Amino acid sequence: MAECGASGSGSSGDSFDKSITLPPDEIFRNLENAKRFAIDIGGSLTKLAYYSTVQHKVAKVRSFDHSGKDAEQDHESPYEISVQEEVTARLHFVKFENTYIEACLDFIKDHLVNTETKVIQATGGGAYKFKDLIEEKLQLKVDKEDVMTCLIKGCNFVLKNIPQEAFVYQKDSDPEFRFQTNHPNIFPYLLVNIGSGVSIVKVETEDRFEWIGGSSIGGGTFWGLGALLTKTKKFDELLHLASRGQHANVDMLVQDIYGGAHQTLGLSGSLIASSFGKSATADQEFSQEDMAKSLLHMISNDIGQLACLYARLHHLDRVYFGGFFIRGHPVTMRTITYSINFFSKGEVQALFLRHEGYLGAIGAFLKGAEQDNPNQYSWGENYAGSSGLMSSSPDVCPAQRTRSGTFDLLEMDRLERPLVNLPLLLDPSSYVPDTVDLTDDALARKYWLSCFEEALDGVVKRAVASQPGSVDAAERAQKFRQKYWNKLQTLRQQPFAYGTLTVRSLLDTREHCLNEFNFPDPYSKVKQKENGAALKCFQKVVCALDTLDWEERQLALVQGLLAGNVFDWGAKAVSEVLESDPQFGFEEAKRKLEERPWLVDCYNKWLQRLKGPPHKCALIFADNSGVDVILGVFPFVRELLSRGTEVILACNSGPALNDVTYSESLIVAERIAAMDPVVHSALREERLLLVQTGSSSPCLDLSRLDKGLAVLVRERSTDLVVIEGMGRAVHTNYYAALHCESLKLAVIKNSWLAERLGGRLFSVIFKYEVPAQ
């Protein structure tokens, strides 16, 4: 990698080394709207954090002004759609090598337009070394922050805000990376930060931590001794040498001393008895690769044993490792994990962090932003603008690895509402939203990645069609296509790049990429049309239900829910039908359903429960717009209300596919209330409440729900949860265990998935569960 000196030309291209794969404006995105900076400069890497505002388009819906319109025209569409500009907050983190610091500072200076900050928070050793350079280049005062305080703040932040931030590394497993779900209580834990030396910190609360020990033998030792042994001056080159070496050529093993395992002490023959032990007696030259590998084992084993001893001393079972030494390097992680397991007999867990390199920069940023209370918000990783965790193999995706060696990116969006666990989760600490781990299941991974690739042209077509008046819609749609395609190729090679790979993460990444290129709601026009058409049928459907006797009506209501769930543009089999047959409607969907007994059929058990006392309050997570919510969900809601059950109807905060959003549901409910006295009085008396989930995903993560929804669930003593739809009830939450009764229902609209579950296309899942007493 060539050195790049400073260039004050102001030209974004000239001030960067030509070997950099990404253009500077893709590295320092939204820089012109930067409001605040922080920087963490270590021995070899600089981590820059900045907060900026991002302007993007949002599809808004609102009721028509009914005055002056004739009745016929009034029913053509239930609402109007307008696309508006919205400003949201985003955190950017950029990691690059110190050789680029002058060029990067030049680029930042030239592109700062209206930054509000007069001070830049700085941490790490380089905050002293580069203080004058930063102040001169950016004309900002450098305010130095305590390294350890920043690290802890950063660690707490990523553990709370990035699902699957932490992982266990198991070299001989498939997959090698096992990601941890977000634990509702992250404290206490041990943080072992491996920089030049090693610092060991016990973290007890958000603001209470204690430095309890450390070692002078750390990353600097590996680098320094490695340079002496191999004449290699670059840290990453040294790691690369180690990855190709055989440490047993240099290290003395137990079997070299005893001829095999030491049975009495229970030590295996392959255990290292003495690091570099053979080099004292063997009359030979050792390869650079073997010496680097031996050195890496020696340092990593030492750190692992030290961490284990401190964890046992302080009765802690979780140890997080951070610092530039690890770099996601498999040999390092494997050795530390082995050491921790060996010395703790499996009682202490070694955990690594996807974004360990950013902890100091995040902490420094938070220190400088305390007046904005960043901790009162929830944040979410923006997959469209973030680099993934790099592959363990140097041969995999070399373009990605080369780029990562230079620049690595993380973006986080501030969410409008704080997110919390659903209070009804039986055990939040063990809750896993996703049904299938595609990182683990190679066959499923291959199928779903191909499925998303094949669907891409359809999504592009829908995105362009959603903005008929835009001259650049086709161009932006192609950029979206390329970006999402690239993400899918990365995930083929590195399924663990963004944590556990699931259908949910593939869908969320696609939504992030659509938003990136200003397609906030590609299905807005489709939803508008379908909601209008379904509203016209509502009274007819309800009247037909009211003519049935009680038992027939219960089955018809469930069949209506299931038939409504067929209308899902996210399912290829359905979208092909809807595209080719505009007359396909509610009755046709009913005929598509399989006959009873269904694939999963708890209906008789549910019917018996309905003969008992009414539920106090039902929480219903709605799925699709149009037929689903209007002709499926609302008649079901109406029946519950008639029984004396209060209902909380929860819909997405933001758009995803043709899922109904909270703002759309308000208008739909208003129109239904005008036709139906049961819904009208329930809304007026607040026995029917419409709320937002805090999510903009076709799937459902019950550990990240809107705080207001969680409060309401508690206040109303909710005793029934209804989750409908393939994304919410099958791809996610199929195994979710709750404190209360639950209904999970969906129609399987994917033939591969249906076959895997032992059914066929349009098989029915009707799962009624009662918690164990």
Side-chain angles (χ1 to χ4, degrees):
M1 195 177 298
E3 292 275 322
C4 69
S7 164
S9 66
S11 157
S12 61
D14 292 345
S15 62
F16 274 74
D17 186 290
K18 298 297 188 289
S19 68
I20 298 173
T21 315
L22 288 176
D25 56 355
E26 280 190 36
I27 297 164
F28 300 106
R29 288 150 42 99
N30 305 306
L31 194 58
E32 66 279 5
N33 299 318
K35 309 292 181 195
R36 190 172 290 110
F37 285 91
I39 198 161
D40 173 15
I41 311 176
S44 62
L45 292 174
T46 294
K47 286 77 69 175
L48 178 74
Y50 60 98
Y51 160 94
S52 73
T53 52
V54 184
Q55 200 163 24
H56 57 91
K57 288 182 168 56
V58 181
K60 297 277 188 184
V61 300
R62 65 173 188 177
S63 291
F64 284 110
D65 177 3
H66 297 304
S67 59
K69 291 196 170 191
D70 62 50
E72 189 64 36
Q73 200 179 3
D74 197 26
H75 284 278
E76 281 306 308
S77 171
Y79 51 79
E80 59 181 330
I81 305 165
S82 62
V83 176
Q84 300 172 13
E85 293 286 344
E86 195 171 84
V87 175
T88 54
R90 180 172 287 172
L91 287 177
H92 300 262
F93 302 98
V94 185
K95 183 165 65 179
F96 53 89
E97 296 173 7
N98 287 353
T99 46
Y100 291 103
I101 191 165
E102 287 205 47
C104 290
L105 292 174
D106 273 333
F107 182 82
I108 293 165
K109 183 188 76 172
D110 292 340
H111 290 76
L112 286 184
V113 178
N114 58 355
T115 182
E116 295 169 3
T117 189
K118 300 293 175 233
V119 175
I120 184 166
Q121 258 63 35
T123 189
Y128 298 86
K129 182 178 177 181
F130 293 104
K131 177 178 181 291
D132 294 341
L133 177 69
I134 297 166
E135 290 187 337
E136 178 195 334
K137 293 278 186 190
L138 299 186
Q139 299 296 298
L140 300 173
K141 180 178 178 292
V142 170
D143 205 347
K144 294 186 286 295
E145 298 289 351
D146 175 64
V147 173
M148 206 48 63
T149 303
C150 292
L151 280 171
I152 304 305
K153 274 190 173 292
C155 193
N156 291 342
F157 183 83
V158 296
L159 289 175
K160 285 197 305 183
N161 287 287
I162 305 184
Q164 304 193 334
E165 169 64 24
F167 62 89
V168 173
Y169 184 78
Q170 297 164 306
K171 173 62 181 169
D172 299 318
S173 301
D174 186 19
E176 297 166 83
F177 296 80
R178 293 267 175 199
F179 293 91
Q180 308 288 295
T181 52
N182 272 32
H183 198 286
N185 183 16
I186 62 173
F187 306 109
Y189 65 85
L190 200 68
L191 176 63
V192 178
N193 193 62
I194 314 168
S196 299
V198 179
S199 291
I200 300 175
V201 186
K202 178 183 178 182
V203 185
E204 294 181 275
T205 67
E206 195 71 54
D207 299 307
R208 195 165 80 240
F209 60 88
E210 180 188 0
W211 185 91
I212 55 173
S215 172
S216 61
I217 300 170
T221 316
F222 172 67
W223 198 354
L225 283 176
L228 291 172
L229 289 167
T230 68
K231 309 303 180 196
T232 300
K233 295 294 183 185
K234 290 196 173 179
F235 190 88
D236 283 319
E237 284 179 17
L238 198 56
L239 284 175
H240 190 56
L241 282 177
S243 70
R244 302 200 308 264
Q246 298 294 324
H247 76 95
N249 293 337
V250 183
D251 292 339
M252 189 176 288
L253 309 182
V254 168
Q255 66 193 24
D256 294 325
I257 300 172
Y258 296 101
H262 192 302
Q263 304 293 347
T264 313
L265 298 177
L267 304 177
S268 74
S270 60
L271 200 67
I272 299 171
S274 173
S275 294
F276 289 92
K278 287 179 182 169
S279 60
T281 54
D283 187 20
Q284 67 179 80
E285 289 289 317
F286 295 99
S287 76
Q288 291 187 342
E289 289 83 356
D290 293 349
M291 289 190 291
K293 184 69 162 279
S294 173
L295 182 61
L296 187 61
H297 271 295
M298 183 179 82
I299 305 289
S300 301
N301 268 321
D302 187 60
I303 292 168
Q305 182 176 11
L306 199 61
C308 174
L309 291 171
Y310 275 107
R312 297 294 289 270
L313 186 64
H314 291 268
H315 310 292
L316 297 170
D317 58 7
R318 276 178 296 167
V319 182
Y320 294 105
F321 289 88
F324 88 101
F325 174 66
I326 294 167
R327 304 268 186 104
H329 193 266
V331 177
T332 314
M333 294 190 294
R334 182 188 186 184
T335 310
I336 287 173
T337 300
Y338 178 85
S339 181
I340 289 266
N341 285 341
F342 181 81
F343 289 109
S344 76
K345 296 182 171 60
E347 290 178 16
V348 177
Q349 192 172 40
L351 291 154
F352 304 95
L353 301 168
R354 281 203 291 135
H355 300 105
E356 49 87 12
Y358 292 119
L359 303 186
I362 292 171
F365 174 83
L366 293 172
K367 283 284 286 178
E370 282 170 344
Q371 68 269 33
D372 293 338
N373 297 318
N375 277 321
Q376 78 181 19
Y377 299 99
S378 288
W379 300 78
E381 183 174 4
N382 174 29
Y383 296 136
S386 298
S387 308
L389 188 67
M390 286 300 107
S391 165
S392 59
S393 164
D395 306 317
V396 169
C397 223
Q400 284 276 345
R401 290 188 60 83
T402 305
R403 189 191 77 186
S404 170
T406 311
F407 287 90
D408 188 75
L409 314 173
L410 166 64
E411 289 183 0
M412 297 187 71
D413 288 324
R414 192 177 81 189
L415 308 178
E416 285 185 31
R417 310 170 77 80
L419 302 182
V420 297
N421 280 303
L422 178 69
L424 298 169
L425 280 175
L426 191 63
D427 179 15
S429 63
S430 64
Y431 168 70
V432 177
D434 304 290
T435 306
V436 178
D437 178 351
L438 303 182
T439 327
D440 205 1
D441 189 331
L443 195 65
R445 178 170 75 244
K446 185 180 177 185
Y447 170 77
W448 284 111
L449 285 168
S450 298
C451 191
F452 277 88
E453 283 175 3
E454 288 163 16
L456 198 44
D457 287 336
V459 178
V460 168
K461 181 182 167 188
R462 181 64 53 199
V464 175
S466 73
Q467 297 180 2
S470 170
V471 293
D472 67 341
E475 183 188 343
R476 283 185 286 114
Q478 284 307 316
K479 286 181 178 176
F480 150 73
R481 188 189 191 287
Q482 189 60 54
K483 183 146 206 170
Y484 189 55
W485 176 267
N486 289 343
K487 293 283 179 190
L488 292 174
Q489 304 325 303
T490 296
L491 291 166
R492 275 193 185 279
Q493 301 287 352
Q494 300 149 232
F496 43 77
Y498 296 97
T500 302
L501 182 65
T502 63
V503 172
R504 176 171 63 100
S505 69
L506 287 168
L507 284 162
D508 289 351
T509 304
R510 189 167 72 186
E511 292 299 321
H512 293 181
C513 291
L514 280 165
N515 282 320
E516 180 82 11
F517 296 102
N518 274 324
F519 292 107
D521 195 355
Y523 289 83
S524 56
K525 298 276 196 298
V526 172
K527 290 186 288 179
Q528 181 190 38
K529 183 180 173 185
E530 290 183 351
N531 283 331
L535 282 166
K536 289 180 187 176
C537 304
F538 178 77
Q539 280 177 300
K540 180 183 166 190
V541 168
V542 166
C543 288
L545 286 165
D546 286 346
T547 63
L548 302 174
D549 66 38
W550 184 84
E551 199 154 312
E552 280 183 314
R553 190 167 70 250
Q554 303 317 308
L555 181 59
L557 283 162
V558 166
Q559 287 172 329
L561 263 176
L562 293 165
N565 191 242
V566 168
F567 291 81
D568 181 355
W569 282 85
K572 187 183 176 190
V574 176
S575 61
E576 285 173 355
V577 171
L578 296 175
E579 292 275 16
S580 61
D581 182 5
Q583 301 308 310
F584 184 83
F586 193 44
E587 295 306 316
E588 287 81 3
K590 283 182 187 174
R591 289 194 285 273
K592 285 272 188 192
L593 300 178
E594 71 173 343
E595 295 290 321
R596 289 193 66 203
W598 297 319
L599 182 60
V600 176
D601 195 333
C602 302
Y603 177 74
N604 292 340
K605 189 176 164 189
W606 168 246
L607 188 67
Q608 283 304 116
R609 171 62 185 87
L610 288 179
K611 291 174 182 174
H615 295 92
K616 184 169 187 337
C617 179
L619 167 62
I620 301 177
F621 291 99
D623 189 10
N624 306 307
S625 282
V627 174
D628 194 357
V629 71
I630 294 165
L631 305 185
V633 173
F634 264 98
F636 186 78
V637 166
R638 187 175 172 271
E639 182 77 10
L640 288 173
L641 291 168
S642 301
R643 281 171 58 81
T645 301
E646 294 178 346
V647 176
I648 301 167
L649 184 60
C651 301
N652 270 9
S653 297
L657 294 171
N658 67 316
D659 293 4
V660 62
T661 63
Y662 168 68
S663 55
E664 289 158 1
S665 74
L666 292 175
I667 295 170
V668 163
E670 174 192 307
R671 294 293 295 271
I672 289 174
M675 296 184 259
D676 188 86
V678 177
V679 174
H680 182 269
S681 63
L683 282 169
R684 192 184 65 240
E685 295 160 15
E686 296 190 344
R687 289 181 294 110
L688 170 58
L689 295 155
L690 275 62
V691 296
Q692 51 187 313
T693 60
S695 168
S696 301
S697 169
C699 294
L700 180 65
D701 183 349
L702 297 176
S703 69
R704 283 172 72 80
L705 288 178
D706 180 75
K707 192 175 181 180
L709 168 58
V711 169
L712 203 54
V713 163
R714 275 201 194 91
E715 287 175 353
R716 296 288 171 121
S717 304
T718 301
D719 54 355
L720 172 66
V721 173
V722 181
I723 304 174
E724 64 126 1
M726 203 162 72
R728 289 165 178 76
V730 178
H731 291 314
T732 51
N733 299 301
Y734 190 73
Y735 299 116
L738 303 175
H739 280 298
C740 67
E741 294 171 54
S742 64
L743 267 182
K744 297 165 187 174
L745 50 116
V747 178
I748 306 300
K749 294 148 296 199
N750 177 286
S751 52
W752 182 88
L753 180 61
E755 194 176 313
R756 220 181 204 222
L757 294 171
R760 55 190 172 79
L761 199 61
F762 299 109
S763 287
V764 167
I765 302 287
F766 188 88
K767 195 178 186 187
Y768 170 58
E769 294 174 302
V770 180
Q773 296 302 313

